[in-house]
């Protein structure tokens, strides 16, 4: 069957184009498909399970579209390094094109499949710039893809990039997002560049974490070009009742800008910031955001969280812990049981002797570290690491997540949690570390995947997942109501739509967090939940500018939940440092790339100061990939002065 736009619809689209203040320029009508090729030019051009070809069957305009055909195949092949690859199609632009006067790329997408699409990541598009290196790639995840109909996709061109030499357009999927054997074809047609004729706010964010405590950073990005003689930005800060506390205004000279606003006379705490884009005295666009300002002069609480600690806790002696008494850390996470522990959970009396031994050695706070992985299943096609468990069959029998306690794994995890919380109180420690990572099967984060594999509705799975969070909070209420729960991540900053479900859908850890927070709020518990920041700002950033950009975005994305749970939800930060780039392995070698700005531990000092000034709670992830070895006295002596100096500088 051939799909065309009826003439009436085409006329309507033209009218809409005029009404939405864009001027369009053609980029690719796909009447000639020869510039498009499959394969990743950096790794694999063969990609035997994908194809790129013209299509005259499913067309949006003209005579043909471009078909990107994928058959997911996880079967290892000779000479293939990654069986679960990254099918890609690209077009090189030679010579490079100047898009500096453009704001967006529009194109039409038709997705054809009989298989179920992933919930959050289906297809990504990227626009590459000659000579530019972007950590993680310049990829845009296309939201809301629905099979069986044409959808107009609009991709903003980030103002912070140099768009004068664009040399490639690429689309890709990761086979790991899908199931083995899935088949999907993406049809792309009518790609255009678009420029706004007058400026609007693409984004506007307020953060009291990056310009020094007592200051508010205003970050704005525009579509359209501002006229400095006419256009300006105004930020008005109010309390939650709407009373004005401060107001500043700045002239706009570029598409992206950051301004600092003095808040020294504003009481730290909860506020609203209204950011207006002005043409003269007229407001032409506006955003409003909740934010929290921080107490000046407060020294951040720094904790060590590292899998090196597992070897110490499960060793013959706890003596290596003593080295931390002369460190910069205020606390350390101690994993009572590993993520893959499947033996029967001990009773309290069995733990006490070791708790006493640790408390006698440590002068800093010990934090029990508990893993939710105990109740996460490992089906035959799992994507995780459950095979290293002593009894993998324990995990294999769990139905994705043991939400109904069918196998007793949910009860086991809750017993671990209760013992961890009780131990924190016994130690007189501030709290407990909750690790929500799905080490057994990473797709189980996905509500859509979990619901389909369990044969339940999305709403039912969300309800049961949030009950897990409620039970965690109920145990806090019963054992240690003032406990601080330090999660490595909350995933509240991420949500995506699911067709057939109304409402915001987070990954599974997000709904566990919501269940916890709701119970704590409804029962007026004095506990706190820290979102640890592993997913954002993340373990690695190439420089302080990139870190600050993530901190700003995180404040914006988390604002609705920080406002909803002002007494219970707080943000923490993290970083994974190294002391010698030349000895790094694995991901700590790959992420910095070949020519990183940070090569030594001393190079991290500005990063530490930025992070420690941004959050009242921070943790160092001491990774084996960087050979950090925090229990080695020589390494502790190396890291301590750098961390201590950054803690002091950030507080000042």
């Amino acid at each position: 069957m051939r799909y065309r736009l009826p003439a009436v619809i085409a006329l309507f689209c033209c009218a809409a184009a005029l009404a939405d203040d864009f001027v369009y320029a053609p980029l690719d009508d796909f009447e000639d498909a020869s510039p498009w090729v499959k394969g990743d030019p950096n790794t694999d051009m063969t990609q035997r399970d994908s194809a790129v070809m013209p299509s005259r069957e499913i067309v949006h305009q003209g005579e043909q579209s471009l078909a990107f055909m994928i058959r997911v195949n996880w079967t290892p092949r000779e000479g293939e390094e990654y069986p679960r690859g990254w099918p890609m199609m690209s077009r090189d632009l030679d010579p490079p094109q100047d898009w500096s006067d453009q704001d967006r790329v529009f194109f039409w997408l038709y997705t054809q499949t009989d298989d179920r699409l992933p919930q959050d990541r289906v297809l990504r598009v990227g626009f590459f710039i000659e000579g530019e290196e972007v950590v993680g790639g310049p990829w845009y995840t296309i939201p809301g893809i629905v099979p069986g109909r044409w959808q107009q996709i609009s991709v903003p061109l980030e103002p912070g990039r140099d768009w004068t030499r664009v040399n490639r357009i690429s689309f890709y999927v990761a086979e790991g997002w899908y199931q083995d054997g899935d088949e999907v074809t993406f049809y792309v047609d009518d790609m255009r560049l678009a420029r706004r004729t007058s400026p609007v706010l693409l984004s506007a964010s307020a953060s009291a974490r990056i310009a020094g405590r007592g200051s508010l950073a205003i970050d704005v990005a525009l579509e359209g070009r501002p006229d400095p003689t006419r256009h300006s930005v105004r930020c008005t800060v109010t309390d939650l009742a709407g009373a004005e506390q401060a107001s500043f205004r700045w002239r706009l000279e570029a598409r992206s800008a950051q301004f600092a606003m003095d808040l020294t006379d504003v009481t730290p705490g909860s506020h609203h910031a209204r950011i207006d884009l002005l043409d003269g005295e007229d407001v032409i666009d506006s955003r409003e955001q909740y934010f929290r300002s921080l107490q000046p002069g407060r020294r951040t609480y720094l904790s060590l969280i590292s899998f090196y600690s597992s070897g110490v806790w499960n060793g013959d002696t706890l003596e290596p812990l003593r080295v931390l008494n002369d460190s910069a850390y205020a606390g350390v996470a101690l994993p009572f049981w590993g993520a893959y522990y499947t033996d029967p959970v001990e009773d309290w009396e069995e733990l006490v002797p070791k708790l006493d031994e640790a408390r006698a050695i440590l002068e800093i706070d010990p934090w029990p570290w508990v893993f939710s992985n105990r109740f996460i299943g490992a089906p035959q096609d799992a994507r995780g690491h459950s095979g290293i468990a002593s009894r993998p069959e324990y995990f294999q029998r769990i139905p994705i997540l043991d939400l109904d306690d069918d196998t007793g794994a949910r009860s086991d995890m809750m017993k671990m949690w209760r013992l961890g919380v009780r131990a924190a109180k016994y130690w007189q420690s501030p709290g407990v570390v909750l690790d929500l990572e799905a080490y057994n099967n990473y797709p189980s984060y996905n509500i859509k995947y979990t619901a389909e594999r369990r044969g339940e509705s999305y709403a039912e799975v969300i309800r049961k997942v949030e009950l897990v969070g409620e039970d965690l909070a109920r145990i806090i209420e019963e054992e240690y109501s003032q406990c601080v729960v330090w999660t490595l991540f909350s995933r509240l900053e991420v949500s995506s739509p699911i067709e057939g479900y109304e409402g915001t859908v987070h990954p599974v850890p997000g709904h566990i967090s919501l269940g916890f927070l709701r119970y704590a709020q409804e029962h007026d518990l004095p506990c706190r939940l820290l979102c640890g920041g592993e997913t954002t700002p993340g373990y690695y950033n190439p420089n302080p500018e990139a870190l600050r950009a993530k901190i700003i975005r995180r404040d914006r994305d988390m604002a609705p939940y920080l406002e909803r749970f002002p007494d219970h939800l707080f943000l923490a930060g993290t970083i994974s440092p190294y002391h010698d780039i030349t000895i790094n392995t694995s991901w700590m070698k790959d992420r910095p790339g070949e020519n990183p700005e940070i090569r030594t531990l001393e190079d991290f000092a500005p990063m530490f100061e930025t992070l420690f000034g941004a959050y009242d709670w921070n943790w160092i992830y001491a990774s084996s990939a960087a050979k950090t070895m925090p229990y080695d006295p020589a390494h502790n002596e190396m890291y301590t002065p750098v961390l201590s100096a950054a803690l002091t500088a950030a507080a000042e």
Side-chain angles (χ1 to χ4, degrees), residues 218 231-235 248-252 259-261:
I218 308 300
H231 296 116
S232 60
V233 168
R234 179 178 64 205
C235 179
F248 287 83
R249 182 170 176 170
W250 307 270
R251 184 172 61 182
L252 267 177
F259 310 101
M261 184 173 174

Side-chain angles (χ1 to χ4, degrees), residues 467-509:
L467 282 175
V468 172
E470 290 183 20
D471 284 352
L472 296 174
R474 185 177 294 106
I475 290 171
I476 291 285
E477 181 180 33
E478 294 167 356
E479 296 286 346
Y480 183 15
S481 64
Q482 296 176 320
C483 186
V484 176
V485 178
W486 197 320
T487 66
L488 305 191
F489 52 80
S490 70
R491 299 310 271 158
L492 289 171
E493 79 280 4
V494 175
S495 63
S496 59
I498 300 180
E499 190 176 19
Y501 180 83
E502 294 184 8
T504 301
V505 179
H506 299 279
V508 163

Side-chain angles (χ1 to χ4, degrees), residues 419-440:
L419 292 173
V421 174
R422 187 177 297 174
K425 184 176 183 180
Y426 184 78
W427 272 337
Q428 297 182 337
S429 175
V432 61
V433 171
L434 173 61
D435 191 335
L436 295 171
E437 185 162 348
Y439 295 97
N440 279 344

Side-chain angles (χ1 to χ4, degrees), residues 23-77:
V23 173
Y24 297 103
L27 181 55
D28 197 329
D29 59 10
F30 301 98
E31 298 304 301
D32 178 10
S34 61
W36 290 86
V37 297
K38 72 171 183 175
D40 181 351
N42 296 316
T43 57
D44 177 19
M45 294 296 293
T46 59
Q47 294 192 344
R48 287 167 284 185
D49 298 309
S50 66
V52 177
M53 61 184 62
S55 171
R56 292 178 175 266
E57 297 302 314
I58 298 180
V59 179
H60 185 265
Q61 60 82 36
E63 296 299 320
Q64 67 180 35
S65 64
L66 184 70
F68 180 28
M69 308 170 68
I70 297 157
R71 183 184 183 280
V72 178
N73 185 354
W74 294 352
T75 304
R77 289 171 169 157

Side-chain angles (χ1 to χ4, degrees), residues 113-120 122 145 147 177-179 182 379 381 383 399-401 403 441 443-462 464-465 497-501 505 508:
T113 185
D114 292 328
D115 299 307
R116 295 187 180 275
L117 294 176
Q119 175 187 335
D120 47 0
V122 178
I145 292 179
W177 302 340
Y178 291 80
Q179 296 299 306
D182 283 357
D381 59 351
R383 281 170 269 169
I400 307 302
L401 300 174
L403 297 175
N441 187 22
S444 67
Y445 287 141
N446 191 301
I447 292 291
K448 183 177 181 181
Y449 165 92
T450 298
E452 291 169 356
R453 295 293 290 264
R454 285 178 55 86
E456 296 176 326
S457 69
Y458 305 142
E460 183 66 5
V461 167
I462 289 172
K464 291 180 179 180
V465 168
I498 300 180
E499 190 176 19
Y501 180 83
V505 179
V508 163

Side-chain angles (χ1 to χ4, degrees), residues 100-369:
S100 59
D101 200 36
Q102 307 298 326
D103 294 297
R104 287 181 177 252
V105 175
F106 283 85
F107 59 89
W108 288 89
L109 177 70
Y110 188 100
T111 306
Q112 186 180 59
T113 185
D114 292 328
D115 299 307
R116 295 187 180 275
L117 294 176
Q119 175 187 335
D120 47 0
R121 290 171 292 182
V122 178
L123 178 67
R124 283 177 171 166
V125 61
F127 308 114
F128 291 77
I129 295 172
E130 187 176 62
E132 180 189 54
E133 290 187 17
V134 179
V135 176
W139 298 108
Y140 175 82
T141 303
I142 301 171
I145 292 179
V146 178
R149 66 178 189 230
W150 282 105
Q151 297 174 273
Q152 183 170 227
I153 307 302
S154 172
V155 184
L157 301 177
E158 302 168 35
R161 298 175 66 195
D162 177 9
W163 294 103
T164 58
R165 295 188 63 79
V166 182
N167 65 352
R168 183 183 301 150
I169 306 169
S170 296
F171 292 83
Y172 92 95
V173 304
E175 288 187 296
W177 302 340
Y178 291 80
Q179 296 299 306
D180 191 21
D182 283 357
E183 296 184 15
V184 59
T185 300
F186 301 102
Y187 298 88
V188 183
D189 208 351
D190 189 18
M191 184 175 284
R192 297 168 295 161
L193 293 167
R195 174 176 58 84
R196 282 197 184 271
T197 57
S198 59
V200 298
L201 289 171
L202 176 62
S203 65
S205 306
S207 175
R209 301 180 187 274
I210 67 163
R213 299 193 176 200
S215 296
L216 182 67
I218 308 300
D219 186 89
V220 296
L222 303 183
E223 286 189 340
R225 274 69 191 157
D227 180 345
T229 66
R230 295 168 45 199
H231 296 116
S232 60
V233 168
R234 179 178 64 205
C235 179
T236 303
V237 173
T238 67
D239 62 19
L240 299 188
E244 183 174 317
Q245 297 174 307
S247 183
F248 287 83
R249 182 170 176 170
W250 307 270
R251 184 172 61 182
L252 267 177
E253 297 182 347
R255 289 182 60 206
S256 61
Q258 193 174 105
F259 310 101
M261 184 173 174
D262 185 9
L263 293 185
T264 53
D265 294 331
V266 176
T267 303
S270 295
H271 316 275
H272 284 140
R274 190 181 70 250
I275 304 169
D276 298 321
L277 175 61
L278 304 173
D279 186 346
E281 298 303 317
D282 297 329
V283 177
I284 57 176
D285 204 355
S286 187
R287 299 285 192 278
E288 188 165 323
Q289 181 194 316
Y290 169 90
F291 74 94
R292 290 183 193 160
S293 55
L294 305 177
Q295 182 71 43
R298 178 167 176 175
R299 187 181 178 94
T300 192
Y301 185 104
L302 185 65
S303 185
L304 170 67
I305 302 181
S306 172
F307 285 103
Y308 281 110
S309 299
S310 181
V312 174
W313 183 257
N314 294 304
D316 295 330
T317 175
L318 298 182
E319 270 302 311
L321 290 173
R322 197 177 299 278
V323 72
L324 300 182
N325 294 335
D326 295 317
S327 72
Y329 301 115
V332 57
L334 298 176
F336 288 12
W337 311 274
Y340 307 102
Y341 187 80
T342 57
D343 290 342
V345 183
E346 299 96 319
D347 292 326
W348 172 251
E349 292 74 19
E350 298 174 78
L351 293 177
V352 169
K354 203 166 189 179
L355 299 180
D356 290 340
E357 182 184 357
R359 185 71 279 186
I361 291 173
L362 275 174
E363 297 171 12
I364 65 173
D365 298 325
W367 292 63
W369 182 359

Side-chain angles (χ1 to χ4, degrees), residues 341-415:
Y341 187 80
T342 57
D343 290 342
V345 183
E346 299 96 319
D347 292 326
W348 172 251
E349 292 74 19
E350 298 174 78
L351 293 177
V352 169
K354 203 166 189 179
L355 299 180
D356 290 340
E357 182 184 357
R359 185 71 279 186
I361 291 173
L362 275 174
E363 297 171 12
I364 65 173
D365 298 325
W367 292 63
W369 182 359
V370 181
F371 298 85
S372 69
N373 197 59
R374 178 77 181 218
F375 93 121
I376 298 173
Q380 192 170 19
D381 59 351
R383 281 170 269 169
H385 314 287
S386 63
I388 67 176
S390 60
R391 293 188 300 147
E393 66 277 5
Y394 178 95
F395 294 125
Q396 291 166 359
R397 67 183 190 229
I398 297 173
I400 307 302
L401 300 174
D402 196 11
L403 297 175
D404 297 318
D405 206 28
D406 294 320
T407 70
R410 189 184 193 279
S411 292
D412 288 347
M413 191 266 286
M414 289 298 173
K415 181 178 180 181

